[in-house]
């Protein structure tokens, strides 16, 4: 494999593939490039000098400056304001013991990366737990049209992805038809293409429930705004080790566990507090009791 303008024809080298069937992935190429000790002189000389970025300093008039929102921020602002004006937001929260999943990810992470070419993260586990909970409690996978409840046949999970200009929500279509490995691949694909600005508008439509992971920013807990026309949104906090009380038949003890906060925002026009509590409890149970040895 030779990268144009980087590896000359007299400098071809073999890049070992970590993908399935020995395929060379983007990560393999990036890892190889990091090991190279130099770049051909002609390539260096031909590299154009980049112009400095434009100044982002606002122009102040007196003690303030006014800067017009960009197009994406305007859309986000309108969407969030409409959601608050439309839905009766209510929140419930609970702690989830992620210890088994954390241990599984650490023990299987290297083998998974060797097979798939990307890291095993917590998000697919949560997406699987949410999908199973939505199958158990279909009201959370519905929407409202006036006084009519719209039942959705398929479970389409929206994943909030932070980009430079704001937030986009690509959708895992028919997540109930995907196994765990399929969810891993889909989560990775959507996140990468969204951040690389390669996602299509059609892939940002049709969600029936949304997951937003502010834990990636080291945030413990949050209260996200419902993504219309969904009636529910799940917020994922960061995973932290904490001392907790462990109950057993022989008595209570203190142990160190990996704990994550879940927050569920739901539309009280359709979902009552009991329904919201049942749903978040189902997600918690699905995470803590997942049969990890049967995922692959």
């Amino acid at each position: 494999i030779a990268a144009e303008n980087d590896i000359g024809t007299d400098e071809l080298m073999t890049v070992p593939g970590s993908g399935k069937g020995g395929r060379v992935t983007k990560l393999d190429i990036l890892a190889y490039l990091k090991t190279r000790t130099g770049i051909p002189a002609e390539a260096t000389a031909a590299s154009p000098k980049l112009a400095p970025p434009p100044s982002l300093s606002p122009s102040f008039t007196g003690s303030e400056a006014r800067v017009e929102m960009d197009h994406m921020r305007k859309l986000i602002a309108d969407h969030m304001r409409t959601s608050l004006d439309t839905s009766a937001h209510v929140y419930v929260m609970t702690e989830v013991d992620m210890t088994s999943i954390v241990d599984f990810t650490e023990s299987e992470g290297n083998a998974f990366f060797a097979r798939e070419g990307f890291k095993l993260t917590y998000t697919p586990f949560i997406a699987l737990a949410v999908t199973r909970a939505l199958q158990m409690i279909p009201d959370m996978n519905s929407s409202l049209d006036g006084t009519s409840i719209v039942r959705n046949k398929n479970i389409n999970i929206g994943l909030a992805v932070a980009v430079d200009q704001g937030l986009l929500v690509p959708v895992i279509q028919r997540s109930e038809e995907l196994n765990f490995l399929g969810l891993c691949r889909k989560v990775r694909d959507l996140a990468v293409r969204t951040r690389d600005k390669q996602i299509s508008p059609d892939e940002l439509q049709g969600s029936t429930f949304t997951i937003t992971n502010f834990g990636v920013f080291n945030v413990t807990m949050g209260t996200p705004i419902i993504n219309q026309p969904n009636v529910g949104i799940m917020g994922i906090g960061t995973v932290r080790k904490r001392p907790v009380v462990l109950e057993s038949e022989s008595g209570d003890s203190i142990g160190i566990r990996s704990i994550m906060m879940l927050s569920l925002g739901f539309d009280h026009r359709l979902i009552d507090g009991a329904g919201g509590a049942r749903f978040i409890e189902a997600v918690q149970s699905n995470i803590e009791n997942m049969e990890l040895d049967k995922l692959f």
Side-chain angles (χ1 to χ4, degrees), residues 98-166:
M98 288 283 289
T99 305
S100 296
I101 289 177
V102 170
D103 292 344
F104 181 84
T105 302
E106 290 177 354
S107 64
E108 298 295 324
N110 289 337
F112 182 89
F113 183 85
R115 291 194 309 268
E116 299 297 324
F118 59 90
K119 290 177 61 176
L120 180 62
T121 66
Y122 302 146
T123 303
F125 296 95
I126 297 166
L128 179 61
V130 167
T131 298
R132 290 174 175 174
L134 290 170
Q135 290 176 311
M136 297 166 56
I137 306 173
D139 274 353
M140 197 67 74
N141 195 52
S142 304
S143 60
L144 288 174
D145 183 9
T147 58
S148 298
I149 301 173
V150 180
R151 306 288 189 189
N152 294 300
K153 178 180 179 181
N154 299 113
I155 297 173
N156 303 327
I157 301 291
L159 291 177
V161 177
V163 295
D164 291 340
Q165 294 80 15

Side-chain angles (χ1 to χ4, degrees), residues 184-254:
C184 290
R185 291 170 175 169
K186 196 65 177 178
V187 167
R188 164 72 177 181
D189 172 65
L190 289 177
V192 169
R193 289 194 293 113
T194 299
R195 294 190 181 105
D196 290 345
K197 303 178 182 179
Q198 296 177 349
I199 206 76
S200 70
D202 288 344
E203 293 175 292
L204 300 173
Q205 306 293 326
S207 69
T208 60
F209 187 87
T210 301
I211 298 173
T212 180
N213 185 356
F214 31 74
V216 298
F217 303 107
N218 203 33
V219 174
T220 302
M221 183 176 59
T223 54
I225 297 175
I226 296 170
N227 182 30
Q228 296 295 323
N230 302 171
V231 296
I233 184 169
M234 181 70 71
I236 310 301
T238 192
V239 178
R240 297 186 188 278
K241 288 187 177 182
R242 288 173 45 191
V244 298
V245 176
L246 304 177
E247 300 179 2
S248 67
E249 295 180 358
S250 59
D252 296 343
S253 60
I254 301 294

